[in-house]
Amino acid sequence: MADFVIPPPAVVSVPVAGGGAFPVRRVFCVGRNYAEHAREMGSDPDREPPFFFMKPADALLLNDADMPYPPKSTQLHHEMELVVAIGEGGANIAEADALAHVWGYAAGLDMTRRDLQNAAKKEGKPWDMGKGFDFSAPIGLMVPASKIGHPSKGLIELKVNGKVRQTSDLSKMIWNVPETIAYLSGLVKLAPGDLIYTGTPENVAAVERGDLLEGVVEGVGTVRTRIV
């Protein structure tokens, strides 16, 4: 074994419903994957292929923990998403084979420092710090596909302080899960432990300290956090 010169980082893992934990390697996120959200962000969903950004694995926020309001921002936005967990890796995965590479699913939130993201976009700079900051990826329990199957339709919804903010259906994804896996695996070789946040419906909006966020993906599970 290597003699590490500093203590190695702990393995990030997501608790699994019924017991156990899913180890996380990388977190990929799909941008603008619901047509109405793409339009509200100023894009044309009919002409745009999928694109991806990443969050560090240790940005995951687990067990319904509170989320600290991030520094350097006054526009923290919520984005409710279905999360896909890769159990079998591969490159150039065929769409017809893609679901065989999925271990399970979870409900998640892609929290965004919108002001930092928009400023970076305006200047033509990378917007990693608008997306990949500490605690920016709340996630619920992971559920195995062997128990729930592969959801392709069903409610995806977020409530803030008990009032619906985002509501849509998984069937409204521009690029569905098999298509997304096939496309992404043509860009990078996927590996066991990779997560894919699959995009958010319309009506993303700002949240404040004290707000309670409660999301659900039908047939998959829930995610919950309070902004503090």
Side-chain angles (χ1 to χ4, degrees):
M1 291 182 62
D3 293 325
F4 295 112
V5 297
I6 61 171
V11 175
V12 176
S13 62
V14 178
V16 174
F22 183 88
V24 178
R25 184 171 184 262
R26 297 175 293 187
V27 180
F28 298 96
C29 305
V30 186
R32 298 196 289 263
N33 199 27
Y34 287 75
E36 291 306 315
H37 174 59
R39 293 186 181 101
E40 76 180 353
M41 299 302 289
S43 298
D44 183 349
D46 296 324
R47 293 187 297 175
E48 186 175 57
F51 71 94
F52 301 87
F53 57 93
M54 297 183 70
K55 293 176 182 273
D58 61 5
L60 293 171
L61 184 64
L62 310 170
N63 300 317
D64 295 343
D66 293 344
M67 178 186 172
Y69 198 99
K72 309 296 183 182
S73 178
T74 59
Q75 293 180 16
L76 177 64
H77 280 204
H78 56 71
E79 300 190 8
M80 180 66 203
E81 311 205 4
L82 171 71
V83 183
V84 177
I86 299 297
E88 180 182 340
N92 298 310
I93 297 168
E95 183 182 328
D97 301 328
L99 293 181
H101 292 256
V102 176
W103 187 90
Y105 298 89
L109 285 162
D110 165 17
M111 302 301 292
T112 303
R113 291 193 282 203
R114 192 71 71 198
D115 44 357
L116 271 64
Q117 183 192 34
N118 287 342
K121 285 181 179 180
K122 185 177 181 180
E123 297 175 8
K125 297 177 179 177
W127 33 272
D128 299 59
M129 291 299 98
K131 287 286 191 178
F133 53 95
D134 296 339
F135 313 115
S136 61
I139 190 169
L141 292 177
M142 190 69 63
V143 291
S146 60
K147 291 187 177 180
I148 65 167
H150 297 282
S152 59
K153 60 182 180 180
L155 178 71
I156 178 170
E157 185 171 272
L158 178 71
K159 293 181 179 179
V160 178
N161 301 325
K163 297 182 179 179
V164 174
R165 282 278 189 91
Q166 292 182 271
T167 187
S168 189
D169 194 279
L170 297 176
S171 63
K172 293 185 179 182
M173 286 185 189
I174 298 171
W175 297 85
N176 63 29
V177 171
E179 291 169 335
T180 298
I181 291 172
Y183 195 99
L184 179 57
S185 71
L187 296 170
V188 296
K189 184 177 181 179
L190 294 176
D194 288 341
L195 300 184
I196 305 172
Y197 275 62
T198 57
T200 194
E202 66 272 19
N203 295 325
V204 301
V207 291
E208 306 291 342
R209 287 181 176 87
D211 285 347
L212 177 64
L213 283 61
E214 298 173 294
V216 63
V217 178
E218 184 179 348
V220 173
T222 61
V223 60
R224 181 183 184 276
T225 191
R226 187 181 295 276
I227 310 299
V228 296

